Amino acid sequence: AQKVTQAQTEISVVEKEDVTLDCVYETRDTTYYLFWYKQPPSGELVFLIRRNSFDEQNEISGRYSWNFQKSTSSFNFTITASQVVDSAVYFCALILNSGYSTLTFGKGTMLLVSP
Amino acid sequence: DTEVTQTPKHLVMGMTNKKSLKCEQHMGHRAMYWYKQKAKKPPELMFVYSYEKLSINESVPSRFSPECPNSSLLNLHLHALQPEDSALYLCASSQDGVSPSINEQFFGPGTRLTVL
């Protein structure tokens, strides 16, 4: 069975600070996919990124960047120069590419960015 | 159109009522999902439809009854719910109908359900 751990329950930062959200996963499978979703107070989960287990390249998209390290089973998410609109709950999730598998979410990290 | 829509946004119902939640997507996606989310928790999968057929039922009580009338529509029929069923109900869709789908899921805004 797979598991996703987001140890940070809540993070508070001041606007323009950089912040990293941690995600550690567990699986015995070699082929899997990792995701990050953002859930603002409005409730809708917004897809941010998908990464497969064979692609360890880091990715940057504007102020967002992701660091995938198979050696430590981590898929961390960094927001550079945070803004108030980044305030949301962020979920890391995992799905296997085999058998009966559904999307396994971490418990989420609430990010509060104050002006 | 890259949107999943859900109606109603809010719903209050008594334990003896029958109501339905509706979800619609026009992205040509072949898999659709229902999730339940309690406050400060991650979404919990309830049902998955692949190519309009129910492929996964996560042991959901029969008072929740899903229906997929066509590839764009997904309903969730509610009957004799309990107060603990109060939650945010999220619908999602993904491109391929293969199970498991490794493609990203696109979520609707959800229906906030309160059962009195």
Side-chain angles (χ1 to χ4, degrees), chain B residues 3-68:
Chain B
E3 208 180 37
V4 177
T5 59
Q6 289 187 245
T7 54
K9 291 189 76 170
H10 300 274
L11 179 62
V12 180
M13 60 186 291
M15 289 190 283
T16 58
N17 291 159
K18 283 186 182 180
K19 297 285 184 182
S20 296
L21 309 184
K22 181 178 171 182
C23 173
E24 198 163 359
Q25 58 89 12
H26 293 288
M27 296 179 278
H29 287 179
R30 304 316 304 266
M32 295 186 77
Y33 309 76
W34 279 115
Y35 287 86
K36 172 183 177 181
Q37 187 179 25
K38 302 283 271 186
K40 299 187 185 296
K41 299 284 187 185
E44 297 174 23
L45 182 65
M46 300 175 72
F47 302 103
V48 181
Y49 272 83
S50 297
Y51 296 104
E52 301 161 47
K53 287 186 167 43
L54 183 64
S55 61
I56 295 176
N57 176 341
E58 293 285 79
S59 303
V60 179
S62 60
R63 58 186 184 268
F64 296 91
S65 175
E67 179 197 18
C68 189

Short mmCIF file of all heavy atoms in Angstrom, two decimals, chain B residues 3-68:
data_model
loop_
_atom_site.label_atom_id
_atom_site.label_comp_id
_atom_site.label_asym_id
_atom_site.label_seq_id
_atom_site.Cartn_x
_atom_site.Cartn_y
_atom_site.Cartn_z
N GLU B 3 -13.52 23.06 -17.82
CA GLU B 3 -14.19 23.26 -16.55
C GLU B 3 -15.06 22.07 -16.18
O GLU B 3 -15.67 21.42 -17.04
CB GLU B 3 -15.08 24.49 -16.67
CG GLU B 3 -15.32 25.23 -15.37
CD GLU B 3 -16.23 26.45 -15.59
OE1 GLU B 3 -17.16 26.37 -16.40
OE2 GLU B 3 -15.97 27.46 -14.95
N VAL B 4 -15.08 21.80 -14.88
CA VAL B 4 -16.03 20.85 -14.33
C VAL B 4 -17.02 21.67 -13.50
O VAL B 4 -16.60 22.42 -12.62
CB VAL B 4 -15.33 19.81 -13.45
CG1 VAL B 4 -16.35 18.87 -12.82
CG2 VAL B 4 -14.31 19.01 -14.27
N THR B 5 -18.29 21.54 -13.80
CA THR B 5 -19.29 22.31 -13.07
C THR B 5 -20.09 21.40 -12.16
O THR B 5 -20.31 20.22 -12.49
CB THR B 5 -20.24 23.06 -14.02
OG1 THR B 5 -20.90 22.10 -14.86
CG2 THR B 5 -19.48 24.05 -14.88
N GLN B 6 -20.51 21.94 -11.03
CA GLN B 6 -21.31 21.18 -10.08
C GLN B 6 -22.47 22.03 -9.60
O GLN B 6 -22.30 23.22 -9.33
CB GLN B 6 -20.47 20.77 -8.86
CG GLN B 6 -19.44 19.70 -9.15
CD GLN B 6 -18.75 19.21 -7.90
OE1 GLN B 6 -17.56 19.39 -7.70
NE2 GLN B 6 -19.54 18.58 -7.02
N THR B 7 -23.61 21.40 -9.49
CA THR B 7 -24.78 22.07 -8.93
C THR B 7 -25.48 21.13 -7.96
O THR B 7 -25.45 19.90 -8.14
CB THR B 7 -25.78 22.48 -10.03
OG1 THR B 7 -26.10 21.33 -10.82
CG2 THR B 7 -25.21 23.58 -10.92
N PRO B 8 -26.09 21.68 -6.90
CA PRO B 8 -26.01 23.07 -6.47
C PRO B 8 -24.70 23.35 -5.75
O PRO B 8 -23.93 22.44 -5.48
CB PRO B 8 -27.19 23.17 -5.50
CG PRO B 8 -27.27 21.81 -4.88
CD PRO B 8 -26.90 20.84 -5.98
N LYS B 9 -24.42 24.60 -5.44
CA LYS B 9 -23.22 24.94 -4.67
C LYS B 9 -23.40 24.59 -3.20
O LYS B 9 -22.45 24.19 -2.52
CB LYS B 9 -22.91 26.43 -4.81
CG LYS B 9 -22.45 26.83 -6.19
CD LYS B 9 -21.96 28.27 -6.20
CE LYS B 9 -20.58 28.38 -5.58
NZ LYS B 9 -19.98 29.71 -5.80
N HIS B 10 -24.61 24.81 -2.72
CA HIS B 10 -24.93 24.50 -1.33
C HIS B 10 -26.24 23.71 -1.30
O HIS B 10 -27.13 23.97 -2.11
CB HIS B 10 -25.11 25.78 -0.50
CG HIS B 10 -23.90 26.66 -0.47
ND1 HIS B 10 -22.89 26.50 0.44
CD2 HIS B 10 -23.55 27.70 -1.25
CE1 HIS B 10 -21.96 27.42 0.22
NE2 HIS B 10 -22.33 28.15 -0.80
N LEU B 11 -26.33 22.80 -0.35
CA LEU B 11 -27.56 22.02 -0.20
C LEU B 11 -27.76 21.70 1.27
O LEU B 11 -26.85 21.22 1.93
CB LEU B 11 -27.46 20.73 -1.02
CG LEU B 11 -28.66 19.78 -0.95
CD1 LEU B 11 -29.91 20.44 -1.50
CD2 LEU B 11 -28.36 18.50 -1.71
N VAL B 12 -28.96 21.99 1.74
CA VAL B 12 -29.34 21.62 3.10
C VAL B 12 -30.51 20.65 2.97
O VAL B 12 -31.48 20.94 2.27
CB VAL B 12 -29.77 22.85 3.93
CG1 VAL B 12 -30.17 22.42 5.34
CG2 VAL B 12 -28.62 23.87 4.00
N MET B 13 -30.40 19.53 3.62
CA MET B 13 -31.47 18.54 3.52
C MET B 13 -31.71 17.84 4.84
O MET B 13 -30.80 17.73 5.68
CB MET B 13 -31.17 17.51 2.43
CG MET B 13 -29.92 16.71 2.62
SD MET B 13 -29.54 15.64 1.19
CE MET B 13 -30.84 14.41 1.29
N GLY B 14 -32.95 17.40 5.02
CA GLY B 14 -33.28 16.63 6.19
C GLY B 14 -32.97 15.16 5.96
O GLY B 14 -32.72 14.73 4.83
N MET B 15 -33.00 14.40 7.02
CA MET B 15 -32.61 12.98 6.93
C MET B 15 -33.60 12.15 6.12
O MET B 15 -33.27 11.05 5.68
CB MET B 15 -32.43 12.41 8.33
CG MET B 15 -31.19 12.94 9.04
SD MET B 15 -30.82 12.07 10.56
CE MET B 15 -32.03 12.78 11.65
N THR B 16 -34.81 12.66 5.91
CA THR B 16 -35.78 11.89 5.14
C THR B 16 -35.88 12.36 3.69
O THR B 16 -36.63 11.79 2.90
CB THR B 16 -37.18 11.99 5.78
OG1 THR B 16 -37.55 13.37 5.85
CG2 THR B 16 -37.16 11.39 7.18
N ASN B 17 -35.13 13.39 3.34
CA ASN B 17 -35.22 13.94 1.99
C ASN B 17 -34.50 13.07 0.97
O ASN B 17 -33.61 12.28 1.30
CB ASN B 17 -34.60 15.34 1.94
CG ASN B 17 -35.41 16.37 2.71
OD1 ASN B 17 -34.87 17.40 3.08
ND2 ASN B 17 -36.67 16.10 2.92
N LYS B 18 -34.89 13.27 -0.29
CA LYS B 18 -34.15 12.73 -1.42
C LYS B 18 -33.69 13.91 -2.27
O LYS B 18 -34.50 14.74 -2.66
CB LYS B 18 -35.05 11.85 -2.30
CG LYS B 18 -35.34 10.48 -1.78
CD LYS B 18 -36.12 9.67 -2.82
CE LYS B 18 -36.46 8.30 -2.31
NZ LYS B 18 -37.21 7.51 -3.30
N LYS B 19 -32.41 13.95 -2.55
CA LYS B 19 -31.86 15.01 -3.37
C LYS B 19 -30.81 14.43 -4.30
O LYS B 19 -30.36 13.30 -4.12
CB LYS B 19 -31.21 16.10 -2.49
CG LYS B 19 -32.16 16.82 -1.56
CD LYS B 19 -33.03 17.80 -2.31
CE LYS B 19 -33.90 18.58 -1.34
NZ LYS B 19 -34.80 19.51 -2.05
N SER B 20 -30.40 15.24 -5.27
CA SER B 20 -29.35 14.80 -6.20
C SER B 20 -28.32 15.89 -6.40
O SER B 20 -28.66 17.08 -6.46
CB SER B 20 -29.96 14.44 -7.55
OG SER B 20 -30.83 13.33 -7.43
N LEU B 21 -27.07 15.48 -6.52
CA LEU B 21 -26.00 16.38 -6.90
C LEU B 21 -25.67 16.11 -8.37
O LEU B 21 -25.70 14.96 -8.83
CB LEU B 21 -24.75 16.13 -6.05
CG LEU B 21 -24.93 16.12 -4.53
CD1 LEU B 21 -23.57 15.96 -3.86
CD2 LEU B 21 -25.66 17.34 -4.05
N LYS B 22 -25.32 17.19 -9.06
CA LYS B 22 -25.05 17.05 -10.49
C LYS B 22 -23.66 17.56 -10.82
O LYS B 22 -23.21 18.55 -10.25
CB LYS B 22 -26.09 17.84 -11.28
CG LYS B 22 -25.96 17.76 -12.78
CD LYS B 22 -27.08 18.54 -13.46
CE LYS B 22 -26.85 18.66 -14.94
NZ LYS B 22 -27.89 19.46 -15.60
N CYS B 23 -23.02 16.87 -11.76
CA CYS B 23 -21.68 17.24 -12.20
C CYS B 23 -21.64 17.14 -13.72
O CYS B 23 -22.20 16.21 -14.31
CB CYS B 23 -20.64 16.30 -11.59
SG CYS B 23 -18.96 16.51 -12.21
N GLU B 24 -20.97 18.09 -14.34
CA GLU B 24 -20.91 18.10 -15.80
C GLU B 24 -19.52 18.52 -16.27
O GLU B 24 -18.91 19.42 -15.69
CB GLU B 24 -21.96 19.08 -16.34
CG GLU B 24 -22.31 18.90 -17.80
CD GLU B 24 -23.61 19.59 -18.17
OE1 GLU B 24 -24.26 20.20 -17.30
OE2 GLU B 24 -23.97 19.52 -19.36
N GLN B 25 -19.04 17.85 -17.31
CA GLN B 25 -17.77 18.27 -17.93
C GLN B 25 -17.90 18.12 -19.44
O GLN B 25 -18.56 17.19 -19.91
CB GLN B 25 -16.59 17.44 -17.38
CG GLN B 25 -16.68 15.94 -17.54
CD GLN B 25 -16.12 15.40 -18.84
OE1 GLN B 25 -15.44 16.11 -19.60
NE2 GLN B 25 -16.39 14.13 -19.14
N HIS B 26 -17.27 19.03 -20.15
CA HIS B 26 -17.33 19.00 -21.61
C HIS B 26 -15.93 18.98 -22.18
O HIS B 26 -15.66 19.60 -23.22
CB HIS B 26 -18.13 20.21 -22.13
CG HIS B 26 -19.57 20.15 -21.74
ND1 HIS B 26 -20.46 19.27 -22.32
CD2 HIS B 26 -20.27 20.84 -20.82
CE1 HIS B 26 -21.64 19.43 -21.77
NE2 HIS B 26 -21.57 20.37 -20.86
N MET B 27 -15.04 18.25 -21.50
CA MET B 27 -13.66 18.14 -21.97
C MET B 27 -13.42 16.83 -22.71
O MET B 27 -12.29 16.54 -23.09
CB MET B 27 -12.71 18.25 -20.77
CG MET B 27 -12.78 19.61 -20.08
SD MET B 27 -11.70 19.75 -18.65
CE MET B 27 -12.70 18.97 -17.40
N GLY B 28 -14.48 16.04 -22.86
CA GLY B 28 -14.31 14.75 -23.52
C GLY B 28 -13.61 13.72 -22.64
O GLY B 28 -13.12 12.70 -23.13
N HIS B 29 -13.58 13.98 -21.34
CA HIS B 29 -12.93 13.05 -20.43
C HIS B 29 -13.77 11.79 -20.27
O HIS B 29 -15.01 11.83 -20.29
CB HIS B 29 -12.73 13.70 -19.06
CG HIS B 29 -11.65 14.74 -19.07
ND1 HIS B 29 -11.32 15.47 -17.95
CD2 HIS B 29 -10.82 15.15 -20.05
CE1 HIS B 29 -10.33 16.30 -18.24
NE2 HIS B 29 -10.01 16.11 -19.52
N ARG B 30 -13.10 10.65 -20.11
CA ARG B 30 -13.81 9.37 -20.06
C ARG B 30 -13.90 8.78 -18.66
O ARG B 30 -14.46 7.71 -18.48
CB ARG B 30 -13.16 8.37 -21.02
CG ARG B 30 -13.06 8.87 -22.45
CD ARG B 30 -14.35 9.55 -22.95
NE ARG B 30 -15.51 8.72 -22.85
CZ ARG B 30 -15.96 7.95 -23.85
NH1 ARG B 30 -15.30 7.91 -24.98
NH2 ARG B 30 -17.06 7.22 -23.68
N ALA B 31 -13.27 9.42 -17.70
CA ALA B 31 -13.39 8.96 -16.32
C ALA B 31 -13.93 10.10 -15.47
O ALA B 31 -13.53 11.25 -15.63
CB ALA B 31 -12.04 8.51 -15.77
N MET B 32 -14.86 9.76 -14.57
CA MET B 32 -15.43 10.76 -13.68
C MET B 32 -15.49 10.18 -12.27
O MET B 32 -15.64 8.98 -12.09
CB MET B 32 -16.82 11.20 -14.15
CG MET B 32 -16.76 11.93 -15.51
SD MET B 32 -18.34 12.61 -16.04
CE MET B 32 -18.48 14.07 -15.00
N TYR B 33 -15.35 11.08 -11.29
CA TYR B 33 -15.15 10.66 -9.91
C TYR B 33 -16.06 11.44 -8.97
O TYR B 33 -16.32 12.62 -9.19
CB TYR B 33 -13.70 10.94 -9.47
CG TYR B 33 -12.63 10.45 -10.39
CD1 TYR B 33 -12.34 11.11 -11.58
CD2 TYR B 33 -11.86 9.33 -10.06
CE1 TYR B 33 -11.34 10.66 -12.43
CE2 TYR B 33 -10.86 8.88 -10.89
CZ TYR B 33 -10.60 9.56 -12.08
OH TYR B 33 -9.59 9.12 -12.91
N TRP B 34 -16.45 10.80 -7.88
CA TRP B 34 -17.04 11.49 -6.74
C TRP B 34 -16.13 11.32 -5.54
O TRP B 34 -15.68 10.22 -5.23
CB TRP B 34 -18.42 10.93 -6.38
CG TRP B 34 -19.55 11.43 -7.22
CD1 TRP B 34 -20.34 10.70 -8.06
CD2 TRP B 34 -20.05 12.76 -7.29
NE1 TRP B 34 -21.28 11.50 -8.67
CE2 TRP B 34 -21.13 12.78 -8.21
CE3 TRP B 34 -19.69 13.97 -6.68
CZ2 TRP B 34 -21.85 13.94 -8.54
CZ3 TRP B 34 -20.41 15.12 -7.00
CH2 TRP B 34 -21.48 15.09 -7.92
N TYR B 35 -15.86 12.45 -4.87
CA TYR B 35 -15.10 12.46 -3.64
C TYR B 35 -15.94 13.12 -2.55
O TYR B 35 -16.73 14.02 -2.81
CB TYR B 35 -13.83 13.29 -3.78
CG TYR B 35 -12.72 12.68 -4.60
CD1 TYR B 35 -12.69 12.84 -5.99
CD2 TYR B 35 -11.69 11.98 -3.99
CE1 TYR B 35 -11.66 12.30 -6.74
CE2 TYR B 35 -10.65 11.43 -4.74
CZ TYR B 35 -10.64 11.60 -6.11
OH TYR B 35 -9.61 11.07 -6.85
N LYS B 36 -15.66 12.73 -1.32
CA LYS B 36 -16.24 13.37 -0.14
C LYS B 36 -15.09 13.98 0.65
O LYS B 36 -14.06 13.34 0.86
CB LYS B 36 -16.97 12.32 0.70
CG LYS B 36 -17.46 12.82 2.04
CD LYS B 36 -18.11 11.67 2.81
CE LYS B 36 -18.56 12.10 4.19
NZ LYS B 36 -19.17 10.97 4.94
N GLN B 37 -15.27 15.22 1.07
CA GLN B 37 -14.21 15.87 1.85
C GLN B 37 -14.79 16.50 3.10
O GLN B 37 -15.61 17.42 3.02
CB GLN B 37 -13.49 16.92 1.00
CG GLN B 37 -12.27 17.50 1.71
CD GLN B 37 -11.53 18.53 0.88
OE1 GLN B 37 -12.10 19.16 0.00
NE2 GLN B 37 -10.24 18.70 1.16
N LYS B 38 -14.32 16.04 4.25
CA LYS B 38 -14.68 16.65 5.52
C LYS B 38 -13.68 17.77 5.81
O LYS B 38 -12.56 17.79 5.27
CB LYS B 38 -14.64 15.60 6.65
CG LYS B 38 -15.55 14.41 6.41
CD LYS B 38 -17.01 14.72 6.70
CE LYS B 38 -17.36 14.48 8.13
NZ LYS B 38 -18.81 14.66 8.38
N ALA B 39 -14.08 18.65 6.70
CA ALA B 39 -13.26 19.82 7.02
C ALA B 39 -11.87 19.39 7.50
O ALA B 39 -11.74 18.48 8.33
CB ALA B 39 -13.95 20.67 8.07
N LYS B 40 -10.87 20.06 6.97
CA LYS B 40 -9.46 19.85 7.36
C LYS B 40 -8.96 18.43 7.08
O LYS B 40 -8.03 17.95 7.73
CB LYS B 40 -9.25 20.19 8.84
CG LYS B 40 -9.57 21.62 9.19
CD LYS B 40 -9.17 21.94 10.61
CE LYS B 40 -9.59 23.33 11.03
NZ LYS B 40 -8.92 24.39 10.28
N LYS B 41 -9.58 17.77 6.11
CA LYS B 41 -9.16 16.44 5.70
C LYS B 41 -8.95 16.42 4.20
O LYS B 41 -9.49 17.26 3.48
CB LYS B 41 -10.24 15.40 6.06
CG LYS B 41 -10.54 15.29 7.53
CD LYS B 41 -9.47 14.54 8.26
CE LYS B 41 -9.87 14.30 9.70
NZ LYS B 41 -8.78 13.66 10.46
N PRO B 42 -8.19 15.44 3.70
CA PRO B 42 -8.08 15.32 2.24
C PRO B 42 -9.34 14.71 1.66
O PRO B 42 -10.14 14.10 2.40
CB PRO B 42 -6.88 14.38 2.07
CG PRO B 42 -6.84 13.58 3.33
CD PRO B 42 -7.34 14.49 4.42
N PRO B 43 -9.52 14.83 0.36
CA PRO B 43 -10.68 14.19 -0.28
C PRO B 43 -10.59 12.67 -0.15
O PRO B 43 -9.51 12.09 -0.21
CB PRO B 43 -10.56 14.61 -1.75
CG PRO B 43 -9.68 15.81 -1.74
CD PRO B 43 -8.74 15.61 -0.60
N GLU B 44 -11.77 12.05 0.02
CA GLU B 44 -11.85 10.59 0.06
C GLU B 44 -12.64 10.12 -1.16
O GLU B 44 -13.76 10.58 -1.40
CB GLU B 44 -12.61 10.13 1.30
CG GLU B 44 -11.98 10.47 2.61
CD GLU B 44 -12.90 10.09 3.78
OE1 GLU B 44 -13.78 9.21 3.59
OE2 GLU B 44 -12.77 10.68 4.86
N LEU B 45 -12.06 9.21 -1.90
CA LEU B 45 -12.73 8.71 -3.09
C LEU B 45 -13.97 7.91 -2.71
O LEU B 45 -13.94 7.10 -1.79
CB LEU B 45 -11.77 7.83 -3.89
CG LEU B 45 -12.31 7.27 -5.20
CD1 LEU B 45 -12.58 8.38 -6.20
CD2 LEU B 45 -11.33 6.26 -5.78
N MET B 46 -15.06 8.17 -3.47
CA MET B 46 -16.29 7.39 -3.27
C MET B 46 -16.52 6.45 -4.45
O MET B 46 -16.67 5.25 -4.28
CB MET B 46 -17.48 8.34 -3.14
CG MET B 46 -17.39 9.31 -1.98
SD MET B 46 -18.75 10.49 -1.99
CE MET B 46 -20.13 9.46 -1.49
N PHE B 47 -16.59 7.03 -5.65
CA PHE B 47 -16.92 6.26 -6.85
C PHE B 47 -16.06 6.72 -8.02
O PHE B 47 -15.67 7.88 -8.10
CB PHE B 47 -18.39 6.47 -7.25
CG PHE B 47 -19.40 6.12 -6.21
CD1 PHE B 47 -20.03 7.12 -5.48
CD2 PHE B 47 -19.73 4.79 -5.95
CE1 PHE B 47 -20.97 6.81 -4.51
CE2 PHE B 47 -20.67 4.48 -4.99
CZ PHE B 47 -21.29 5.49 -4.26
N VAL B 48 -15.83 5.77 -8.95
CA VAL B 48 -15.19 6.09 -10.21
C VAL B 48 -16.02 5.49 -11.34
O VAL B 48 -16.40 4.32 -11.26
CB VAL B 48 -13.76 5.54 -10.32
CG1 VAL B 48 -13.12 5.94 -11.66
CG2 VAL B 48 -12.89 6.03 -9.16
N TYR B 49 -16.27 6.29 -12.36
CA TYR B 49 -16.89 5.80 -13.59
C TYR B 49 -15.87 5.87 -14.71
O TYR B 49 -15.22 6.91 -14.90
CB TYR B 49 -18.11 6.66 -13.96
CG TYR B 49 -19.39 6.19 -13.32
CD1 TYR B 49 -19.71 6.56 -12.01
CD2 TYR B 49 -20.27 5.36 -14.00
CE1 TYR B 49 -20.87 6.13 -11.41
CE2 TYR B 49 -21.45 4.92 -13.41
CZ TYR B 49 -21.74 5.30 -12.11
OH TYR B 49 -22.89 4.87 -11.50
N SER B 50 -15.73 4.76 -15.42
CA SER B 50 -14.85 4.71 -16.58
C SER B 50 -15.70 4.33 -17.78
O SER B 50 -16.37 3.30 -17.75
CB SER B 50 -13.75 3.67 -16.39
OG SER B 50 -12.92 4.01 -15.30
N TYR B 51 -15.65 5.14 -18.81
CA TYR B 51 -16.48 4.90 -19.99
C TYR B 51 -17.93 4.64 -19.60
O TYR B 51 -18.56 3.70 -20.06
CB TYR B 51 -15.93 3.73 -20.81
CG TYR B 51 -14.56 4.00 -21.39
CD1 TYR B 51 -13.41 3.43 -20.83
CD2 TYR B 51 -14.41 4.85 -22.49
CE1 TYR B 51 -12.16 3.69 -21.35
CE2 TYR B 51 -13.15 5.11 -23.01
CZ TYR B 51 -12.03 4.53 -22.44
OH TYR B 51 -10.79 4.79 -22.96
N GLU B 52 -18.42 5.48 -18.70
CA GLU B 52 -19.82 5.48 -18.26
C GLU B 52 -20.21 4.25 -17.46
O GLU B 52 -21.40 4.06 -17.18
CB GLU B 52 -20.76 5.66 -19.46
CG GLU B 52 -20.49 6.97 -20.20
CD GLU B 52 -21.05 6.99 -21.60
OE1 GLU B 52 -22.22 6.60 -21.76
OE2 GLU B 52 -20.34 7.39 -22.54
N LYS B 53 -19.26 3.44 -17.08
CA LYS B 53 -19.55 2.27 -16.25
C LYS B 53 -18.89 2.44 -14.89
O LYS B 53 -17.75 2.91 -14.79
CB LYS B 53 -19.06 1.00 -16.92
CG LYS B 53 -19.88 0.55 -18.11
CD LYS B 53 -19.40 -0.80 -18.62
CE LYS B 53 -20.36 -1.44 -19.60
NZ LYS B 53 -20.93 -0.56 -20.59
N LEU B 54 -19.58 2.02 -13.85
CA LEU B 54 -19.03 2.12 -12.51
C LEU B 54 -17.86 1.14 -12.39
O LEU B 54 -18.01 -0.06 -12.55
CB LEU B 54 -20.11 1.78 -11.47
CG LEU B 54 -19.69 1.91 -10.01
CD1 LEU B 54 -19.35 3.35 -9.65
CD2 LEU B 54 -20.79 1.38 -9.09
N SER B 55 -16.67 1.66 -12.13
CA SER B 55 -15.49 0.81 -12.05
C SER B 55 -14.98 0.67 -10.61
O SER B 55 -14.34 -0.31 -10.27
CB SER B 55 -14.37 1.34 -12.95
OG SER B 55 -13.97 2.64 -12.56
N ILE B 56 -15.23 1.66 -9.80
CA ILE B 56 -14.78 1.59 -8.40
C ILE B 56 -15.88 2.13 -7.49
O ILE B 56 -16.43 3.19 -7.73
CB ILE B 56 -13.48 2.40 -8.18
CG1 ILE B 56 -12.32 1.79 -8.96
CG2 ILE B 56 -13.14 2.47 -6.69
CD1 ILE B 56 -11.03 2.58 -8.87
N ASN B 57 -16.18 1.37 -6.47
CA ASN B 57 -17.08 1.79 -5.39
C ASN B 57 -16.31 1.52 -4.11
O ASN B 57 -16.06 0.37 -3.76
CB ASN B 57 -18.39 0.99 -5.43
CG ASN B 57 -19.31 1.33 -4.27
OD1 ASN B 57 -18.90 1.89 -3.25
ND2 ASN B 57 -20.58 1.00 -4.42
N GLU B 58 -15.92 2.58 -3.41
CA GLU B 58 -15.10 2.42 -2.22
C GLU B 58 -15.95 2.09 -0.99
O GLU B 58 -15.90 2.78 0.03
CB GLU B 58 -14.27 3.68 -1.99
CG GLU B 58 -13.21 3.93 -3.04
CD GLU B 58 -12.01 2.99 -2.88
OE1 GLU B 58 -12.11 1.83 -3.29
OE2 GLU B 58 -10.97 3.45 -2.37
N SER B 59 -16.75 1.05 -1.13
CA SER B 59 -17.58 0.59 -0.01
C SER B 59 -18.45 1.72 0.56
O SER B 59 -18.53 1.90 1.78
CB SER B 59 -16.72 0.00 1.11
OG SER B 59 -15.92 -1.05 0.62
N VAL B 60 -19.05 2.45 -0.33
CA VAL B 60 -19.88 3.58 0.08
C VAL B 60 -21.28 3.06 0.46
O VAL B 60 -21.83 2.20 -0.24
CB VAL B 60 -20.00 4.60 -1.07
CG1 VAL B 60 -20.89 5.77 -0.67
CG2 VAL B 60 -18.60 5.08 -1.48
N PRO B 61 -21.87 3.58 1.54
CA PRO B 61 -23.22 3.15 1.93
C PRO B 61 -24.23 3.37 0.81
O PRO B 61 -24.10 4.31 0.01
CB PRO B 61 -23.53 4.04 3.14
CG PRO B 61 -22.21 4.47 3.66
CD PRO B 61 -21.29 4.55 2.47
N SER B 62 -25.23 2.52 0.79
CA SER B 62 -26.20 2.55 -0.31
C SER B 62 -27.08 3.79 -0.31
O SER B 62 -27.81 4.03 -1.27
CB SER B 62 -27.09 1.30 -0.25
OG SER B 62 -27.77 1.26 0.98
N ARG B 63 -27.02 4.58 0.74
CA ARG B 63 -27.79 5.83 0.73
C ARG B 63 -27.20 6.84 -0.26
O ARG B 63 -27.81 7.86 -0.56
CB ARG B 63 -27.88 6.44 2.14
CG ARG B 63 -26.56 6.73 2.79
CD ARG B 63 -26.81 7.20 4.24
NE ARG B 63 -25.57 7.59 4.92
CZ ARG B 63 -24.85 6.76 5.64
NH1 ARG B 63 -25.20 5.49 5.76
NH2 ARG B 63 -23.74 7.20 6.24
N PHE B 64 -26.02 6.54 -0.77
CA PHE B 64 -25.42 7.30 -1.87
C PHE B 64 -25.50 6.44 -3.13
O PHE B 64 -24.97 5.32 -3.15
CB PHE B 64 -23.94 7.61 -1.60
CG PHE B 64 -23.71 8.50 -0.42
CD1 PHE B 64 -23.51 7.97 0.84
CD2 PHE B 64 -23.70 9.89 -0.58
CE1 PHE B 64 -23.29 8.80 1.93
CE2 PHE B 64 -23.48 10.72 0.50
CZ PHE B 64 -23.27 10.17 1.77
N SER B 65 -26.13 6.98 -4.16
CA SER B 65 -26.31 6.19 -5.38
C SER B 65 -25.83 6.99 -6.58
O SER B 65 -26.43 8.00 -6.94
CB SER B 65 -27.79 5.84 -5.54
OG SER B 65 -28.02 5.19 -6.77
N PRO B 66 -24.72 6.57 -7.20
CA PRO B 66 -24.21 7.32 -8.35
C PRO B 66 -24.91 6.91 -9.63
O PRO B 66 -25.48 5.82 -9.75
CB PRO B 66 -22.74 6.92 -8.38
CG PRO B 66 -22.74 5.51 -7.88
CD PRO B 66 -23.85 5.42 -6.88
N GLU B 67 -24.85 7.82 -10.60
CA GLU B 67 -25.43 7.55 -11.90
C GLU B 67 -24.65 8.31 -12.95
O GLU B 67 -24.31 9.48 -12.73
CB GLU B 67 -26.90 7.99 -11.93
CG GLU B 67 -27.59 7.77 -13.26
CD GLU B 67 -28.88 8.58 -13.39
OE1 GLU B 67 -29.06 9.55 -12.62
OE2 GLU B 67 -29.69 8.23 -14.27
N CYS B 68 -24.39 7.68 -14.08
CA CYS B 68 -23.67 8.35 -15.16
C CYS B 68 -24.53 8.25 -16.43
O CYS B 68 -24.39 7.29 -17.20
CB CYS B 68 -22.31 7.72 -15.37
SG CYS B 68 -21.24 8.61 -16.51
#
